[in-house]
Amino acid sequence: MDAMPVQDMSNTFIEHSFVINNFVVMIGRQLTDSLCRVLGDGVQYQWSENGNKIVIPDVSINCNTRDRKNVSLTGIPRMVMEVISDSAESYDRGEKMNIYQRVGVSEYWLADWRKRQVEIYLNDGREDGTTYFYLYKTVREENKEDLQLVMFPHLKTDFDTLFMI
């Protein structure tokens, strides 16, 4: 039996986990009467558009958690958030972002606890049927009231709660 590759996160600061957990708790309470679930780090996704390679986002909001292949979800999350860390920033901004765009994730957040900022990207379509992410908004201390899930406008988010570390 082949061992699955595991990304070494030993260089990741504990603040990385704080931001993930803050988001999961903040949003999870609001989804209790919904088919959608907010899922924290460790949940595997597997998509044919990505050659069935395993992808593990820091956070996802998924409304098709019944779509599975073994221990991996195959449904496309509506929103994904990656928390920036030195060891994975280029992967999160490059290959991972491309995978999420290709499979059809609608909203992608890059949260940086050191800079206390969130970059919100939205997936849009071109006339030829391809898609691309564009930077919708960067939220920092000075515009922190603008932090809002675009795909879930009824869910309340709070900048200070997200970055409570």
Side-chain angles (χ1 to χ4, degrees), residues 1-14:
M1 185 165 122
D2 292 343
M4 232 169 48
V6 175
Q7 186 176 355
D8 180 15
M9 297 300 281
S10 59
N11 295 348
T12 304
F13 286 86
I14 191 72

Side-chain angles (χ1 to χ4, degrees), residues 65 84 117:
T65 55
I84 297 291
Q117 82 173 23

Side-chain angles (χ1 to χ4, degrees), residues 2 9-10 16 19 29 38 60 66 72 74 81 104 114 117 134 146 150 155-156:
D2 292 343
M9 297 300 281
S10 59
H16 185 269
V19 173
R29 283 194 207 121
V38 61
S60 59
R66 288 193 179 103
S72 299
T74 57
M81 178 176 77
R114 288 185 178 128
Q117 82 173 23
Y134 68 93
D146 291 348
V150 177
L155 298 178
K156 295 195 181 350

Side-chain angles (χ1 to χ4, degrees), residues 4-5 43-57 69 71-77 91 95-96 98-100 102-103:
M4 232 169 48
V43 175
Q44 299 181 165
Y45 284 92
Q46 205 171 357
W47 302 298
S48 57
E49 299 89 339
N50 188 39
N52 285 314
K53 287 187 233 136
I54 303 275
V55 177
I56 304 174
K69 178 180 182 180
V71 298
S72 299
L73 293 177
T74 57
I76 308 301
Y91 179 53
E95 186 180 346
K96 235 177 181 181
N98 289 333
I99 293 166
Y100 297 143
R102 209 168 52 242
V103 300

Side-chain angles (χ1 to χ4, degrees), residues 125-130 132:
R126 296 185 184 95
E127 287 183 18
D128 66 2
T130 60
Y132 65 97

